Amino acid sequence: MENANPVDAVITWVDGNDPAHRARRRQFARPEELSNDSIAGDTRYTSIGEINYCVASILRFAPWIRNVFIVTDKQDPKLEEYVEKHFPGRSRDLHTVDHSVVFRGMEEALPVFNSLSIESVLWRIPGLAERYIYFNDDCSLSAPVTPEDFYADNGLVCYGSRLSLKLVKLLRELKHLRPGPKVFGFKDALAESADAINRYEERGKKKFNHIVLCGHTPHPQLRSLLAGFFTDHPDALKSNAFHRFREPSQFNPQELCYLLAEARGMLSLRPLKGEALYLKPKNKEGYVAGKIAGFESNPKARFCCLNSIDCASKEDQELIISWLKRRIGLQD
């Protein structure tokens, strides 16, 4: 019987090693953008196979997921053979969606190299379920999960905490006083989400004075909340989606969905501590091994984000990949 409340997964993926993609990016980016890793630097786009482990973790630990949509820019991850080897019969549930599909009617915005812009239109994927979980390709599951880990009480589950919007803005101002290039931070985009709702949304006249500080985890979303907001406020969609590279004015669409859910009493906030491994390699001997060991000893740990592991040493890359394979249960 067809599941009456299906859940889909959506993954954004790019192979920055593709010469055609690199050429398009260099054609449109300014030199200062290409030299800034938070905007258009190579590490934002480099792929060393993370998509394989992201997809495999979903199929292993969340077999109840209906479809896995992989959103790309004129690329193909070619995962069918890999998936059939490890999960026979599940390759039919993989669907590659080109940017031209989710940006239909907004083709002048293309090409786009900006995750915030792309995330703004994921709800436009044809056939997407009302309930979908968003994964960046460097984010994986690391233990069995259930739908109730993401959806509860007719709403969304967010792993994180509340943080004062005023404090976030103050920290931003202090950051801008420092000399050197300005980094467009994660919290900045969260704060812009609260500001966007305060500007556009009038339901209940609720004004947000906080953000939901969500972690680097899979993000459950409700398609109707984003579709309703962007349909009611097409200027908000245009202002967020029409940036080829990151801009300080952009907001985080996942945070937007969480705050929209909270305004309607549809958000369950759960502590992030102990739930996730966020691994951004450092030039420090034993750092990666220590982080993995600590994660392995925690029975609650279910999510992991491997950020910029292309920057890690070859030894640490091999350690990370071999651990992830064992965790997911992949045989060579």
Side-chain angles (χ1 to χ4, degrees):
M1 179 181 291
E2 185 81 12
N3 187 345
N5 294 297
V7 181
D8 290 336
V10 176
I11 307 167
T12 51
W13 173 76
V14 61
D15 178 8
N17 303 320
D18 174 12
H21 184 274
R22 184 182 292 120
R24 286 198 301 278
R25 178 161 48 93
R26 293 184 179 277
Q27 176 185 352
F28 288 96
R30 299 188 301 271
E32 62 270 22
E33 291 173 327
L34 288 170
S35 64
N36 190 328
D37 284 342
S38 71
I39 298 178
D42 286 342
T43 192
R44 290 198 63 80
Y45 307 95
T46 301
S47 171
I48 60 170
E50 296 96 331
I51 184 69
N52 295 50
Y53 309 114
C54 176
V55 170
S57 76
I58 294 169
L59 298 178
R60 175 72 71 203
F61 296 127
W64 41 268
I65 291 286
R66 182 185 65 168
N67 293 313
V68 178
F69 293 101
I70 303 171
V71 180
T72 74
D73 177 17
K74 296 181 173 60
Q75 295 181 324
D76 183 352
K78 295 182 171 60
L79 289 173
E80 287 78 13
E81 183 177 345
Y82 173 83
V83 167
E84 282 301 311
K85 175 184 177 180
H86 297 288
F87 305 95
R90 289 303 306 267
S91 65
R92 64 176 179 269
D93 301 323
L94 301 183
H95 309 277
T96 301
V97 181
D98 190 73
H99 286 182
S100 60
V101 174
V102 288
F103 279 90
R104 62 191 180 278
M106 300 187 294
E107 287 80 4
E108 64 270 30
L110 299 174
V112 171
F113 310 94
N114 177 350
S115 60
L116 294 176
S117 298
I118 298 162
E119 291 161 4
S120 301
V121 294
L122 295 179
W123 57 274
R124 306 177 90 230
I125 294 173
L128 182 65
E130 161 68 0
R131 303 192 298 173
Y132 69 93
I133 303 172
Y134 170 66
F135 291 75
N136 193 276
D137 68 345
D138 63 5
C139 187
S140 300
L141 299 173
S142 55
V145 292
T146 69
E148 291 72 29
D149 291 319
F150 301 97
Y151 296 93
D153 301 323
N154 296 315
L156 302 173
V157 173
C158 174
Y159 294 89
S161 57
R162 293 181 180 86
L163 186 63
S164 164
L165 182 59
K166 185 179 294 186
L167 175 60
V168 174
K169 290 184 175 183
L170 174 61
L171 293 175
R172 179 195 298 178
E173 291 301 316
L174 293 175
K175 180 172 62 177
H176 285 303
L177 294 176
R178 301 174 187 167
K182 309 307 177 190
V183 176
F184 181 72
F186 179 63
K187 293 188 185 73
D188 296 330
L190 301 184
E192 292 295 332
S193 304
D195 281 344
I197 294 179
N198 289 341
R199 282 196 307 273
Y200 293 107
E201 189 78 354
E202 296 184 358
R203 188 189 305 269
K205 303 295 183 182
K206 180 176 180 61
K207 292 291 184 181
F208 281 96
N209 56 17
H210 66 270
I211 63 170
V212 173
L213 183 57
C214 50
H216 294 276
T217 65
H219 295 294
Q221 304 279 275
L222 289 172
R223 185 180 192 178
S224 60
L225 289 182
L226 291 171
F229 180 84
F230 285 125
T231 300
D232 290 343
H233 310 292
D235 48 341
L237 177 60
K238 187 171 183 178
S239 70
N240 217 53
F242 279 64
H243 294 286
R244 288 194 168 92
F245 300 97
R246 287 197 171 192
E247 291 286 342
S249 63
Q250 286 187 286
F251 56 80
N252 181 300
Q254 290 74 245
E255 173 78 357
L256 183 83
C257 193
Y258 287 143
L259 293 177
L260 289 172
E262 184 174 32
R264 292 154 177 77
M266 299 167 60
L267 185 72
S268 297
L269 202 58
R270 297 181 185 175
L272 176 62
K273 186 176 181 180
E275 293 281 0
L277 167 67
Y278 179 66
L279 189 58
K280 187 170 185 176
K282 297 181 180 179
N283 187 20
K284 181 180 177 182
E285 187 175 353
Y287 170 78
V288 168
K291 288 280 284 189
I292 290 175
F295 188 71
E296 282 287 331
S297 67
N298 181 1
K300 290 176 57 180
R302 292 178 292 176
F303 314 123
C304 64
C305 179
L306 309 177
N307 187 266
S308 298
I309 61 172
D310 59 290
C311 296
S313 67
K314 288 295 182 184
E315 294 76 13
D316 279 346
Q317 285 186 27
E318 291 173 2
L319 178 62
I320 292 167
I321 296 303
S322 63
W323 167 75
L324 198 53
K325 284 182 175 181
R326 289 196 306 273
R327 186 86 182 198
I328 299 173
L330 300 174
Q331 304 295 323
D332 291 327

